Amino acid sequence: MELRTVDYHTAGEPFRIVVSDVGEIAGASVRERRETAAATERIDRVRRLLCHEPRGHADMYGCFIVPPDDEGGNFGALFWHKDGYSTACGHGTIALGAWAVESRRVAAPCDGQVDVVIDVPSGRVIARVRCASGAVEEVAFVNVPAWVIARGVDAGEVRADVAWGGAFYAFVPAAAFGLHVTPQDLPALIVAGRAVKAALDGTRVSRHPHDERLSGIYGTVLTERIGPRHHRNVAIFADGEVDRSPTGSATSARTALLLTDGEIGVGDAWRNDSIAGTSFTARAIGDTAEGVLTEVSGTAFRTGEHRFVLDPRDPLGTGFVLR
């Protein structure tokens, strides 16, 4: 097996875009293609090869490029990590916007903005790519509608707020565990995040009201207030994976919570920092019948282009995961 990828990081979080043809992933929509990919060994072994050690690591993230749901989209994306396939990925959407323009897959003005329309399992998202002097300067992604599911629900030793931003997230102040959102506390933050997810996954607050394929608590977000409209968080998602970025889809969901709390109004920007010290800026931009429309802005940079191979003699095969 030989595979080519283009790698980016968005606010420190890796994103590996598969540009090789991996073969057809059947389905009438990106949501259906996600199910197919998870159930097809030919496809899933590519995910494992690129995500697992020694070619990846326990916190690697990436995607397959697939056709859009209809002619209104530029392309579709199937997001993956070490444990499988996610329904949404904000940092990945930002990276895909930059990649689409820099690879000339989508034409962009030398100075100005272009919308890259991407179909993902949770719905249709837009990466608004701003260019200056021919270079990508910033990407703002408009997410599927976000909404608050529940406030103060029992999550074991603590209480959590649950909100949707393309995936279900449980939000808990890090201080509830006696922790801070710092690298020094990361091992304990992972333990706390896993415990909250385990307490809520499978409960009523983790059920999508319209499509069971979107159900499940995707991650726990441990939060910390820095100042007015300025927060820090870390998302512990999947099985103990750590997002180095502020987490785009979780920032979208948190925007719905802050709007409900009255901390922000429609159009007000707020800043969300990551455990690595990077930042996203977010705001609510309107309301729909389904929820709050949000825009999350950040930057993504290409880190490399790779040609990965799997030697048939290699006893490790598609690799391993230690954590």
Side-chain angles (χ1 to χ4, degrees):
M1 183 160 42
E2 185 173 307
L3 297 161
R4 291 184 302 112
T5 71
V6 179
D7 284 24
Y8 278 74
H9 84 82
T10 303
E13 177 71 358
F15 195 71
R16 179 162 287 168
I17 304 166
V18 182
V19 295
S20 289
D21 182 3
V22 298
E24 182 185 7
I25 304 175
S29 67
V30 173
R31 195 171 299 175
E32 290 184 7
R33 295 177 197 274
R34 175 178 178 247
E35 293 180 279
T36 299
T40 305
E41 173 61 17
R42 169 181 59 85
I43 299 299
D44 197 56
R45 72 194 298 260
V46 176
R47 175 192 66 83
R48 298 195 304 270
L49 181 81
L50 297 177
C51 201
H52 292 180
E53 297 183 52
R55 298 165 188 84
H57 51 79
D59 298 294
M60 178 55 70
Y61 219 112
C63 83
F64 298 127
I65 303 297
V66 296
D69 289 351
D70 58 47
E71 293 181 356
N74 292 112
F75 54 87
L78 295 180
F79 302 119
W80 44 254
H81 47 75
K82 76 173 176 65
D83 297 308
Y85 300 83
S86 59
T87 59
C89 180
H91 91 274
T93 300
I94 291 172
L96 284 168
W99 167 77
V101 169
E102 291 175 347
S103 66
R104 301 179 187 245
R105 185 178 184 120
V106 173
C110 185
D111 293 282
Q113 178 179 290
V114 65
D115 284 355
V116 180
V117 182
I118 308 168
D119 287 326
V120 305
S122 61
R124 176 162 285 178
V125 297
I126 300 172
R128 291 180 169 160
V129 184
R130 181 166 58 84
C131 300
S133 301
V136 173
E137 283 212 328
E138 184 181 61
V139 181
F141 91 92
V142 179
N143 200 10
V144 298
W147 74 88
V148 177
I149 307 298
R151 308 301 294 263
V153 295
D154 187 358
E157 298 180 1
V158 297
R159 292 195 170 272
D161 296 332
V162 180
W164 166 267
F168 288 107
Y169 290 94
F171 294 85
V172 180
F177 292 98
L179 301 171
H180 295 283
V181 182
T182 62
Q184 292 79 8
D185 280 354
L186 184 57
L189 290 166
I190 294 173
V191 172
R194 279 175 157 163
V196 171
K197 177 177 177 176
L200 294 178
D201 216 7
T203 67
R204 62 175 181 81
V205 298
S206 70
R207 306 258 69 86
H208 193 277
H210 307 303
D211 194 329
E212 188 61 25
R213 293 172 296 181
L214 301 177
S215 292
I217 298 294
Y218 181 55
T220 302
V221 183
L222 288 309
T223 66
E224 194 168 64
R225 177 181 291 275
I226 297 175
R229 298 181 187 171
H230 187 186
H231 299 259
R232 179 187 296 121
N233 72 208
V234 61
I236 311 301
F237 66 95
D239 183 20
E241 295 186 48
V242 179
D243 198 328
R244 274 71 173 157
S245 82
T247 309
S249 50
T251 298
S252 174
R254 186 80 187 282
T255 300
L257 287 165
L258 295 179
L259 187 68
T260 301
D261 289 341
E263 181 169 340
I264 61 170
V266 173
D268 292 335
W270 69 283
R271 175 178 163 182
N272 199 20
D273 294 349
S274 74
I275 195 168
T278 56
S279 300
F280 286 158
T281 300
R283 61 194 180 105
I285 59 174
D287 290 308
T288 70
E290 294 79 26
V292 180
L293 285 179
T294 64
E295 182 182 80
V296 179
S297 303
T299 56
F301 297 95
R302 186 172 54 172
T303 58
E305 298 182 11
H306 305 284
R307 183 172 68 90
F308 291 101
V309 298
L310 175 57
D311 190 319
R313 301 169 299 168
D314 187 346
L316 290 179
T318 56
F320 59 93
V321 178
L322 286 181
R323 192 185 75 230

